[in-house]
Amino acid sequence: MTERLRIGDEGLDAALANNRQKGLPAIDVSPTQGKLLTLLARMKGAKRVLEIGTLGGYSTICLAQGLSDTGKIVTLEYEPKHATCAKENIAFAGYADQVDIIVGPALESLPILHQQQQTFDFIFIDADKPNNPHYVKWALQLASPGAVLVADNVIRDGEVLNAHSTDPRVQGIRTFVELLEQEERIEATAIQTVGEKGYDGFILGIVR
Ligand code: SAH
Ligand code: DHB
Ligand code: MG
């Protein structure tokens, strides 16, 4: 599928190769999911993107490819090693001037963005799943009206349906989805995907 749809290019392929060579976990979004991020950003005409969970910047580059020419991405990453690798990959792909990587726990960086009165028209949540309920609350604080909200890993082979799961990542996603149910400011759906990263999916929403 990836070949048929001409997904991937030199910058993206190099990012994946560098991530594996540096020993980063292979939990980047899949190429087809990444292309969906590119298309969604372009459909939105995104100018200010917030990403929570950079890893090696594969998804960041996908988002940058859909960004408007003068657009900016702020991406938050806890692990300095991941951020260093992402910085290399983003520069190689040609997006160094459009991307700011903030290193540290996202729950420390998000209040600073809020204090600075930064707002975003596209928010991608893809970090530590137990904190997703906090991330959606911050997303609401930082979203401009009509902002697009995307969150990764909301299906986990169907395990998110298991209320008794002892996996804190699954419980984080479950609480996150319950918040979406209660939160009238977000209109959302789930895009369930099967591919090289198994059976998983995105939440896709709009913040009113
Ligand atoms: N979006 C990336 C994949 C992100 S993997 C892509 O598709 O290419 C999840 C990332 O979140 C990891 O790099 C991990 O180090 C980071 N992370 C985990 N806990 C975090 C936290 N509290 N704050 C910020 N980043 C965190
Ligand atoms: C895992 C997968 C992800 O896509 C992610 O963002 C975080 C963790 C995992 O399989 O553990
Ligand atoms: Mg993910």
Side-chain angles (χ1 to χ4, degrees):
M1 196 64 89
T2 306
E3 288 77 17
R4 299 263 184 230
L5 297 175
R6 286 175 278 105
I7 291 172
D9 59 18
E10 201 191 350
L12 287 168
D13 296 349
L16 287 184
N18 192 31
N19 291 352
R20 298 300 84 80
Q21 202 251 328
K22 298 250 161 61
L24 272 55
I27 56 174
D28 335 69
V29 290
S30 72
T32 47
Q33 290 171 329
K35 186 73 183 197
L36 178 59
L37 292 176
T38 305
L39 296 177
L40 290 170
R42 198 168 304 141
M43 286 171 185
K44 170 65 183 166
K47 294 184 179 67
R48 300 226 358 118
V49 176
L50 172 65
E51 175 178 66
I52 308 176
T54 318
L55 189 65
Y58 182 82
S59 55
T60 321
I61 296 168
C62 293
L63 290 163
Q65 292 180 340
L67 198 63
S68 69
D69 290 342
T70 55
K72 294 270 183 214
I73 301 180
V74 175
T75 182
L76 312 182
E77 175 53 51
Y78 176 69
E79 292 285 346
K81 178 183 160 183
H82 297 180
T84 302
C85 187
K87 199 165 182 209
E88 291 170 13
N89 295 337
I90 291 162
F92 182 78
Y95 297 105
D97 293 343
Q98 282 166 281
V99 180
D100 279 333
I101 307 175
I102 305 180
V103 184
L107 287 178
E108 288 181 13
S109 305
L110 290 163
I112 295 170
L113 296 174
H114 186 55
Q115 272 163 26
Q116 294 169 340
Q117 300 189 332
Q118 298 206 38
T119 58
F120 298 91
D121 56 8
F122 194 114
I123 300 175
F124 178 47
I125 301 176
D126 189 21
D128 47 333
K129 312 311 166 194
N131 275 325
N132 264 30
H134 297 299
Y135 296 150
V136 72
K137 288 185 177 158
W138 279 109
L140 282 167
Q141 297 280 311
L142 294 163
S144 51
V148 170
L149 179 68
V150 182
D152 190 24
N153 309 113
V154 300
I155 307 293
R156 304 312 293 254
D157 295 315
E159 188 59 18
V160 293
L161 294 177
N162 177 9
H164 306 293
S165 172
T166 53
D167 184 336
R169 295 170 303 182
V170 168
Q171 290 301 344
I173 298 290
R174 288 184 62 84
T175 308
F176 166 67
V177 174
E178 281 161 22
L179 283 173
L180 293 180
E181 180 187 354
Q182 292 157 21
E183 182 48 70
E184 287 178 6
R185 281 173 294 172
I186 301 175
E187 192 174 1
T189 188
I191 302 180
Q192 304 179 48
T193 56
V194 174
E196 59 193 79
K197 303 271 162 153
Y199 169 41
D200 211 333
F202 281 169
I203 285 287
L204 173 59
I206 286 188
V207 183
R208 283 193 243 264

